[in-house]
Amino acid sequence: MLLFFIERSSLSIDPLQVAVLMGPAMALACVAATYCLARQVCGRDEEALLAAFFVSVLPALLSCSECGVLDGAGVGCASMVFAMYHVVRAMASNGIQSPLCAGLLYFVMAMCWEEHTFFLNLFAIYMLFLVSMG
């Protein structure tokens, strides 16, 4: 669907270029999400920058950030950290936007790591909890 809109807008984007640059982009998103999460938890920029630095030199993240490496791990790691950020943010605020973003990002993470059955089990546990609470 995205390719349809790109073709209609007369942009010349090669899918190979997108695949090559998606790994580093997801690694950058993971570092940014770690900064946001640490900033939300600690409240200080120094700790947030230190946490982002330590995540940026992790061997697992470095292997996912190579140009041309596009797999579910890079997208899953970034969405997992962003989901945790939104969970912490949702606990600090009373809005509905952060829990919805956390749920959506958790869904993206599970789809990237092909954990479809986990969602079915989670839904069943939630329904059991609702029935038991009345």
Side-chain angles (χ1 to χ4, degrees):
M1 181 182 237
L2 183 63
L3 186 60
F4 174 77
F5 288 118
I6 290 172
E7 288 174 352
R8 296 289 180 210
S9 66
S10 70
L11 292 174
S12 61
I13 296 176
D14 187 23
L16 181 63
Q17 292 174 348
V18 173
V20 165
L21 296 176
M22 188 62 91
M26 287 296 111
L28 180 64
C30 186
V31 170
T34 304
Y35 173 80
C36 292
L37 178 63
R39 176 88 171 122
Q40 184 73 30
V41 170
C42 298
R44 293 180 49 195
D45 284 332
E46 293 85 9
E47 285 92 359
L49 286 172
L50 195 60
F53 170 74
F54 282 132
V55 165
S56 69
V57 295
L58 283 176
L61 189 65
L62 290 175
S63 69
C64 292
S65 66
E66 296 173 359
C67 286
V69 176
L70 179 62
D71 59 349
V75 179
C77 288
S79 61
M80 177 181 63
V81 178
F82 267 123
M84 296 312 300
Y85 164 69
H86 281 291
V87 166
V88 171
R89 188 174 168 199
M91 290 189 298
S93 67
N94 292 330
I96 191 73
Q97 183 179 5
S98 288
L100 287 177
C101 287
L104 179 67
L105 288 165
Y106 190 70
F107 178 74
V108 168
M109 179 193 69
M111 291 301 122
C112 288
W113 285 334
E114 299 174 357
E115 294 293 329
H116 312 292
T117 57
F118 178 73
F119 272 107
L120 294 174
N121 293 336
L122 187 66
F123 184 71
I125 290 170
Y126 179 68
M127 286 297 137
L128 182 66
F129 175 73
L130 288 178
V131 168
S132 67
M133 294 304 286

